[in-house]
Structures are given as C-alpha cells and as structure tokens.
Amino acid sequence: MTDDRPHLAVIGAGPAGLAATVAAAAHGVRVTLIDSAAQAGGQFYRQPATELHAGRPQALHHQWRTWERLRDALAGHVEAGRARLLTDHHVWLVDRRLKERTGGAGRDAFTVHALLGPEQEAPGEVRADGVLLATGGYEKVLPFPGWTVPGVLTAGGAQAMLKGTLAVPGRTAVVAGTGPLLLPVATGLAAAGVEVAALVESADPKAFVRRTRALAAQHGKVAEGAQYAAQLLRHRIKLLSRHTVVEAHGDERLEAVTVAALDTDGRVRPGTERRIACDILAVGHGMLPHTDLAETLGCGLDGVDVQVDDEQRTAVPGVWAAGETTGIGGAALSLAEGHIAGRSAAARLNGTEPDSSSWASAAKSRTKLREFFAALDTVYAPPARWTDLVTDDTVVCRCEEVTGGAIREAVEGLGAGDVRTVKLLTRAGMGWCQGRMCGPAVAGLAGCELTQSRRPFARPVPLVVLARAGESEPAPD
C-alpha cells in the first residue's frame, strides 16, 4: 500500500465501518480498517473465538448473509491490496494537521494513534488523508438498589458473552430495562439453554399503537418483531410490560430481583411488587453514541450525536461519520450510512464531486430508518420517575463509589446545577470510565440534560506512550 492513491482510515469494523470500507475501496482509495477487537464484525456481527471451533455461529445471529457478503468483499479488497485490516488496535486519539503540497496548496493529514494488543501498552500510528468514524455506541444503564451485585450485567454484555465465548453467565435470567435490544438478548439466552424467568420492559404497549404509521412503514422491522414475539412464546418467556426492576438481591451472588408495575406517570404502583428468583439480571436502558474521537477532532454534536450532512461529512474537513455515532439506529441504518460515507469519501479524496445518484437507494433507506427509530425512541424511554428508585445508599458512580445521596447533597445542599459541577463536588465521573457509565444517571439525579464531555483522549493511555507520542514508527501508508 505504497502507491499514490488517497488513503482513508476507517475506525470501527462494525456494520457501518465494514460497509464504508467496501464502498471506498471499490472506488479508488486505499483503506485501512482499524478495530479494537480481535476480529472484524463489531458487536452486531461479533464472532466466536476461532479456538472454539463453533459449528454453527450463524445460530447466534440474524442477517448472517449480509455479514458473509461484507466479510468476503473485505477479504477480496485486502487480497487485491486495496484495503487492510488492523485488529487489536485501540484508538485513543486522531490528530489533524495541514499537510503542505508542492506548489503551496495544502490538504488535511491525519494521524490515528492506537494502543496495540490486549495489553494496550505498545503504541502504533496510521497516517491517512481522511478519516471515517464508525465507532458505534455503548449501553446506557440506570442505577437501582443492588445493581452492583455480582450476576447483574448489561444486556449487551450478556449478548457479547454468548456470541464471543459461547458461554452463559448463569442458569436463570431476568432480562429488564427498555429497548429493542432486550428481545434478541432474552431469546438468545433462552436458545442457549438459560431459563429466562421474565422479560421486564418498562415501555407501554399502547405507545406502539399511537405510532402505527411510522412503524408500519418498515415492514421488515415489523416482521422481525413478530419473529421475536413468536420466540418468546416458544420459549415460554413471560413478558411483563410497563414494569421495572425495583431492586436486585444477593450478597456474594445475585439471588433474586424485585420487579413492580408502573403507572402512567412512570411511578411504581404500590402493592404490585413481586420477587423473581434468578442468578442473572441482564439490564439495559438504550444506547448512547461513542463520540470521544469526534469531539477531540472538533466535530459538531447535535445533543449527544455527531452532526453530519447528506454525505455523512462532519463539520471537520476530511472527516466522515457513520453508524451509531451519528445516532442510534441499528445495523440496517449503519449499513446505509456506511455505504454513503464510503462512496463520498472516495470521491472527495480523489478530488471529484460525488454522484449522489449512486447511493440513492441507501439514502432512501437512511431516511425511512431514521424516521422509524425516531418513533421507537419515543416508545422505548426509561420510566419518567426512575430516579425515585435510587436511594441515598445506592452507588451511582461505581469507579469512585459515589452514592445517590452524595449527588443529591451536591445539588440540593451545595447548589450544583450541571454534571460538571456535580463531578467537581463529588468525583462522580472521575474514574476509569470517565463518566461513560454513570453520566446519564448523574444528569438525571441533577435534573439537567446529559451533555458529552470533551475528553483529550478516548481511552486511558500509559504515560510512556504519551511521552513517546510522535516518535513511534507509523504503519506504512
């Protein structure tokens, strides 16, 4: 990959990154696809470790044929020298500078800084003419009494364990929270032999009826939902809609959870509590986009999403974004956005005007899917009064062990009115995860909007790497 063709670095090898890489490599640019995992696929197409010799990995997935097409297309581009795949590369910073050309003209040049391997101690660099961010999203989990008990994990974490290791974390599960992710998690665990005692969903089924037009426009998604409903029946999974987890019980290990019904205002209805024995609680309340790299580059945000135009370009020249980082919308939307971004990047880096008609079909899908997920967002919202369940003793920030009481004291007693001030007064969000886990909860308890904090780096970096930044040999362009 030492020729003079423009070089695009794609960060993230999930659906958006794969689609972007395949599209860009097919249209005249060199592409380096960078991912932190040992294999391409992201969370959606997460593959079992090769050492497990899985006989039917497709049993854990849907849209398997789409994955096979992307995988084979990427392999073809790699073999032809149009692309390369760098796994176990944990990107912590993208540096942008103006690179002078002969004759006085300039162009943007980027250096992608990464930590290599599982240990994340050795530095590595990739230099490129453009960057495409396909960094995905992460789960939002709201605290409740007992959520730190061993056996309580995120819904996505349970799914990742099943897909990546072919293992399950226990024998009897409750899947709870809100959002479409709960369905594949519950049915996937049940298919793997786990007894799923209940699927506890806080959303109100009547909310779907009020949005029939937007939801019915996506026939494929409606059919997918019907398939999950059939699987719930087949595995005899009890669906408790408009319910929430009140508390998780156990000392050394999770033993049971208490769930209760919600009224129309999102409060727990007194007298509806019930205790369900289980040793797994898989819980999630939706997702948030990964925007750390976009923020350090100076890309604009719309709330918590990276802002992009019709070509998936950000406000920073030479930087595109696609997939969950521009707004949570699932694999199909990520594929459409990735395809558009890849073709746009290939044209722009080659100095030509993109032909938008070449991605007309993807653009049409993008519009419809965005409308669909906008409607879903209004349905799958956490209970309006979830903060009522957070007692003063409930740990909210797990890294720094900050309780709900400490946060309330910062707000009510010391006058904090935003997440940053609460952080300064309580240390909530100063730990290893830098507020990624507790940020939504702190904002909710403080009664303010969640805003993304601009961090200098996307992940913790060893001091020795920082000291040597810029001295390591870059991977060949």
Side-chain angles (χ1 to χ4, degrees):
M1 298 181 68
T2 57
D3 58 43
D4 294 330
R5 289 176 297 165
H7 184 199
L8 175 68
V10 178
I11 303 173
L18 287 167
T21 298
V22 169
H27 290 85
V29 297
R30 297 173 292 132
V31 185
T32 297
L33 177 59
I34 307 167
D35 197 81
S36 60
Q39 301 181 68
Q43 170 69 358
F44 190 77
Y45 296 125
R46 182 183 291 271
Q47 304 298 304
T50 54
E51 296 81 1
L52 295 175
H53 304 291
R56 291 193 315 114
Q58 64 271 26
L60 300 173
H61 295 266
H62 60 290
Q63 299 184 15
W64 183 257
R65 290 184 180 178
T66 302
W67 155 248
E68 290 181 317
R69 287 195 295 270
L70 290 169
R71 177 197 63 193
D72 295 345
L74 174 62
H77 288 306
V78 170
E79 185 177 358
R82 293 184 290 269
R84 62 177 171 167
L85 172 64
L86 300 180
T87 56
D88 275 326
H89 278 56
H90 307 262
V91 178
W92 56 273
L93 179 68
V94 179
D95 185 26
R96 172 178 172 255
R97 297 176 184 173
L98 190 66
K99 181 177 179 181
E100 291 298 325
R101 276 179 170 171
T102 303
R107 68 177 182 182
D108 291 302
F110 299 87
T111 302
V112 179
H113 298 269
L115 301 173
L116 310 184
E119 296 82 10
Q120 301 184 40
E121 294 180 353
E125 294 179 0
V126 174
R127 295 182 180 173
D129 302 303
V131 171
L132 197 155
L133 303 174
T135 47
Y138 62 99
E139 282 187 276
K140 178 170 66 176
V141 181
L142 301 175
F144 51 87
W147 76 303
T148 58
V149 172
V152 180
L153 68 167
T154 67
Q159 187 182 57
M161 181 181 293
L162 182 58
K163 287 183 176 181
T165 68
L166 306 181
V168 294
R171 296 182 178 181
T172 305
V174 170
V175 179
T178 189
L181 178 61
L182 302 187
L183 290 169
V185 171
T187 55
L189 288 173
V194 176
E195 178 188 352
V196 180
L199 172 56
V200 183
E201 169 60 71
S202 63
D204 185 351
K206 294 179 181 178
F208 290 96
V209 177
R210 292 192 291 269
R211 291 157 184 84
T212 303
R213 176 178 293 182
L215 300 179
Q218 287 293 318
H219 304 293
K221 290 294 183 182
V222 173
E224 186 179 318
Q227 290 175 358
Y228 282 125
Q231 291 179 53
L232 293 178
L233 290 173
R234 183 165 68 251
H235 292 295
R236 299 181 179 179
I237 300 173
K238 183 183 296 184
L239 173 61
L240 300 176
S241 58
R242 218 166 78 186
H243 278 65
T244 192
V245 171
V246 174
E247 186 174 359
H249 308 281
D251 296 318
E252 299 295 324
R253 175 75 188 181
L254 180 68
E255 299 172 0
V257 298
T258 295
V259 303
L262 297 167
D263 63 19
T264 54
D265 294 324
R267 294 185 176 88
V268 168
R269 289 168 50 196
T272 64
E273 296 86 354
R274 68 175 80 178
R275 188 180 175 110
I276 303 175
C278 61
D279 58 359
I280 310 169
L281 172 59
V283 61
H285 298 93
M287 296 185 68
L288 293 168
H290 271 299
T291 60
D292 294 331
L293 295 176
E295 289 177 79
T296 57
L297 280 165
C299 301
L301 297 185
D302 180 7
V304 296
D305 305 330
V306 177
Q307 287 182 314
V308 291
D309 64 9
D310 289 343
E311 294 182 31
Q312 300 295 139
R313 292 180 297 175
T314 71
V316 178
V319 179
W320 287 257
E324 309 283 38
T325 191
T326 68
I328 304 301
L333 179 55
S334 295
L335 290 170
E337 291 187 355
H339 178 79
I340 294 168
R343 293 190 71 118
S344 169
R348 296 288 179 184
L349 293 178
N350 276 310
T352 63
E353 192 72 20
D355 177 12
S356 60
S357 65
S358 65
W359 63 67
S361 177
K364 185 177 180 180
S365 295
R366 179 180 61 184
T367 298
K368 290 184 177 180
L369 286 165
R370 284 178 176 174
E371 292 173 352
F372 175 81
F373 281 99
L376 278 192
D377 283 345
T378 63
V379 174
Y380 288 122
R385 301 302 296 265
W386 65 266
T387 56
D388 293 350
L389 300 176
V390 180
T391 65
D392 286 347
D393 295 331
T394 302
V395 173
V396 175
C397 172
R398 301 174 71 150
C399 298
E400 296 293 327
E401 298 185 347
V402 180
T403 64
I407 294 171
R408 289 188 174 105
E409 172 60 22
V411 174
E412 299 166 7
L414 301 177
D418 56 72
V419 173
R420 183 176 181 275
T421 305
V422 172
K423 178 179 179 178
L424 293 173
L425 292 172
T426 67
R427 295 189 60 82
M430 287 190 181
W432 184 264
C433 82
Q434 287 292 286
R436 292 171 180 82
M437 178 67 74
C438 67
V442 173
L445 288 169
C448 61
E449 290 292 324
L450 175 65
T451 56
Q452 298 287 28
S453 299
R454 186 168 181 174
R455 306 176 180 93
F457 308 129
R459 63 178 61 246
V461 185
L463 289 177
V464 67
V465 172
L466 289 178
R468 296 174 182 172
E471 298 177 5
S472 58
E473 281 296 315
D477 289 346

